[in-house]
Amino acid sequence: MARTAIVLAAGRGTRMKSTLSKVLHPLCGRPMVQWTIEAAQAAGCEVCVVVGHQAESVRESLGDNIGHALQDPPRGTGDAVRCASGSVPHEGTVLVLSGDTPRVRPETLEQLLEQHGDALCSVLTMGITPQSAPESAYGRIVRDDQGQVSRIVEAANASDAELEISEVNSGIYAFNARWLFEDVLPQLQPHPPKDEYYLTDAVAAAAEAGGLQALLHDNADELEGINDRVQLSHAEAALRRHILEKWMLAGVTIRDPSSTYIDASVKLSMDVILEPGVVLKGSTQISEKVRVGPHCVLENTQVGPGSEIKAGSVCLNASVGPQCAVGPMARLREGTVLETGSKVGNFVEIKKTTLGAQAKASHLSYLGDSVIGPGANIGAGTITCNYDGHTKSKTHIGERAFIGSNTALVAPVSIGKNTIVGAGSVVTHDVPDGALAVARAPQKTLKEKAQTIHDKNARKAAKKP
Ligand code: UD1
Ligand code: CA
């Protein structure tokens, strides 16, 4: 039997007060709508997303493997499902989900599909606290004298008495596809105040035909819809906690979960230790026995086993090999590759540079567009001058080269292996293998000159009134 899910993501989301489409607001690094899509896929559904408002960006965020239909302009949830009519099979069961309900779990959808059976429509409902009922924006589940659901009334159209109802529509449904597309959707009528076509009218139609099930779900938090940024923060907190718990149960120590942020796409290994304030984003992957110190930010960065990223380091699009040490307060930028056992110390910035195995840059340096051989030692304050105002040029440093402190390497320049560059040099010419290069003004030493100056200053001071 075909299993299809339509995810509605064409609405404007005006209550977010944002230039970004509501369903693209990220939750733990993943667009809101993606969470719902993945839940539906995990429940075994082929997914079709209805796009409309900012259609192009929403479609782009979906990637290539997910079907979509266009609703232009957005004229309500009923109209949105109607727009998917040509893109999904009119047989079997079709799930309809809102792109703004990201916390729904695959198990809940599987259960809904199971319970749906031969019904025309099964709607998941939930209870909200009676005190909050009058203000809540959800559609209210209206039951008749026998307790049977007869229809759903939207908050905007509800009477004061209906607003007191605390059983509400989650916006998640299973439908008999043929009945929905062929008998119901073509008949929908627009509603005031915005002349929208409501999908909730399909629920009333099923009730009338005796084919409705209202299934009360006991976890209202899971089905909370996101309409504004307060609800966005609720969802983020819950999803974040879930990710943290998943990793803790997989063997990661998280010293302070309340200050640790891990994107859904990050991968961690056993015995990783995360100190307080760590932020891990994007495609970051951390291998076994890595310690990430307090207040580090790693984005799209790979870290090999046994390495340590010390406090306050920031790494973006970098690759750190095994047994490396980084920081405290190091900055690794795009294209940084640290090979096995290399070391980057405090206030070192690295970009598009490979630091060979066991090489060290321990203090206060900028290394850009460089290839640095194994075992090289980059002294404190070394700068690769890679940019002349027009073009970027490369610096090569051979294996076991020793670059003295406060050296400026003016690129393009090549320093051979086993070389020594004297401290304070400004190197503008290549240095061959095994050579010593010193490029600084020779030292002048004038004997007893200091004493003469001190005496002169003392005489001046004595004359002042
Ligand atoms: C909807 C339900 C309400 C339910 C609530 C649950 C209707 C009429 N109301 O209200 O009963 O309690 O969800 O969260 O269905 N969308 C489109 N095209 C449109 C309009 C909306 O694709 O023309 C999409 C939105 O992008 C969103 C979803 O449908 O992902 C729900 O739309 P929204 O405006 O948030 O509906 P609610 O007012 O929350
Ligand atoms: Ca909503």
Side-chain angles (χ1 to χ4, degrees):
M1 181 91 74
R3 269 188 175 189
T4 315
I6 298 172
V7 174
L8 307 184
R12 262 184 269 275
T14 43
R15 291 165 278 185
M16 290 297 278
K17 306 217 164 72
S18 176
T19 53
L20 182 68
S21 160
K22 172 169 77 173
V23 296
L24 290 184
H25 278 259
L27 291 163
C28 301
R30 181 186 277 168
M32 187 189 298
V33 63
Q34 197 65 37
W35 287 91
T36 312
I37 293 170
E38 288 189 19
Q41 286 176 324
C45 296
E46 282 283 323
V47 174
C48 172
V49 182
V50 182
V51 300
H53 179 64
Q54 296 188 359
E56 203 41 42
S57 357
V58 178
R59 211 189 46 72
E60 245 170 55
S61 83
L62 304 176
D64 295 334
N65 300 330
I66 293 173
H68 67 275
L70 183 66
Q71 183 199 22
D72 185 24
R75 291 188 300 171
T77 49
D79 178 60
V81 177
R82 191 160 52 194
C83 291
S85 171
S87 313
V88 300
H90 289 198
E91 59 183 69
T93 301
V94 62
L95 283 186
V96 177
L97 310 169
S98 287
D100 67 353
T101 310
R103 288 164 66 189
V104 62
R105 293 173 312 129
E107 296 77 21
T108 303
L109 301 179
E110 274 164 19
Q111 210 181 344
L112 169 62
L113 283 164
E114 220 167 86
Q115 292 181 317
H116 177 64
D118 292 330
L120 295 176
C121 168
S122 305
V123 55
L124 279 187
T125 71
M126 56 190 184
I128 53 170
T129 56
Q131 300 93 297
S132 69
E135 288 87 45
S136 170
Y138 290 114
R140 306 304 198 273
I141 303 293
V142 180
R143 291 178 182 269
D144 64 19
D145 299 342
Q146 280 84 52
Q148 298 296 311
V149 174
S150 55
R151 63 192 176 97
I152 295 176
V153 61
E154 289 307 299
N157 310 101
S159 66
D160 286 351
E162 286 167 335
L163 286 175
E164 299 285 340
I165 299 173
S166 60
E167 184 184 11
V168 298
N169 173 20
S170 70
I172 297 172
Y173 321 79
F175 287 104
N176 173 311
R178 184 177 305 281
W179 173 79
L180 178 70
F181 289 117
E182 293 171 15
D183 298 351
V184 180
L185 295 180
Q187 311 297 331
L188 290 184
Q189 298 299 317
H191 286 268
K194 295 190 201 159
D195 281 342
E196 288 188 343
Y197 296 84
Y198 292 171
L199 182 60
T200 46
D201 284 355
V203 173
E208 205 163 305
L212 174 68
Q213 300 187 89
L215 305 170
L216 180 64
H217 190 67
D218 57 6
N219 182 357
D221 290 341
E222 178 192 340
L223 306 184
E224 183 176 10
I226 297 179
N227 296 324
D228 58 38
R229 298 199 201 215
V230 175
Q231 292 165 325
L232 184 74
S233 76
H234 295 166
E236 173 107 34
L239 293 168
R240 179 162 82 87
R241 183 77 208 176
H242 181 76
I243 292 170
L244 294 171
E245 284 175 4
K246 175 184 84 173
W247 289 121
M248 289 189 273
L249 292 172
V252 174
T253 294
I254 299 181
R255 296 275 316 282
D256 178 20
S258 71
S259 67
T260 306
Y261 295 76
I262 304 177
D263 276 359
S265 45
V266 166
K267 292 200 170 66
L268 304 177
S269 305
M270 220 163 68
D271 290 326
V272 165
I273 298 176
L274 305 179
E275 299 286 355
V278 167
V279 179
L280 304 177
K281 300 165 83 159
S283 61
T284 293
Q285 286 193 27
I286 303 186
S287 308
E288 286 175 21
K289 296 191 177 151
V290 168
R291 177 187 291 270
V292 184
H295 304 289
C296 288
V297 181
L298 276 65
E299 182 168 356
N300 306 336
T301 289
Q302 282 73 52
V303 184
S307 290
E308 180 168 7
I309 313 291
K310 297 178 194 175
S313 296
V314 177
C315 309
L316 171 67
N317 298 345
S319 165
V320 176
Q323 309 296 336
C324 293
V326 174
M329 285 163 288
R331 179 167 182 219
L332 307 184
R333 292 169 51 200
E334 73 278 5
T336 296
V337 178
L338 305 186
E339 292 183 340
T340 308
S342 56
K343 183 178 173 218
V344 174
N346 42 218
F347 307 110
V348 174
E349 175 185 347
I350 305 191
K351 185 213 73 171
K352 287 190 186 157
T353 288
T354 298
L355 191 61
Q358 314 298 332
K360 289 180 183 166
S362 299
H363 331 265
L364 300 159
S365 286
Y366 171 65
L367 304 171
D369 303 298
S370 310
V371 177
I372 299 170
N377 190 317
I378 310 298
T382 297
I383 305 289
T384 55
C385 310
N386 60 333
Y387 185 52
D388 61 7
H390 299 284
T391 45
K392 299 266 169 75
S393 302
K394 292 212 150 170
T395 301
H396 289 266
I397 299 176
E399 55 195 77
R400 290 182 304 281
F402 181 96
I403 311 296
S405 298
N406 210 29
T407 292
L409 301 166
V410 182
V413 71
S414 180
I415 313 293
K417 59 186 176 189
N418 295 315
T419 49
I420 297 176
V421 175
S425 291
V426 176
V427 181
T428 52
H429 299 294
D430 290 354
V431 178
D433 292 352
L436 163 70
V438 184
R440 63 185 184 225
Q443 181 172 335
K444 266 194 218 165
T445 307
L446 307 179
K447 278 194 180 158
E448 288 162 26
K449 179 70 177 172
Q451 196 53 52
T452 322
I453 292 169
H454 291 321
D455 293 348
K456 195 167 138 193
N457 287 343
R459 281 197 301 277
K460 268 194 205 158
K463 272 190 201 163
K464 278 192 185 153

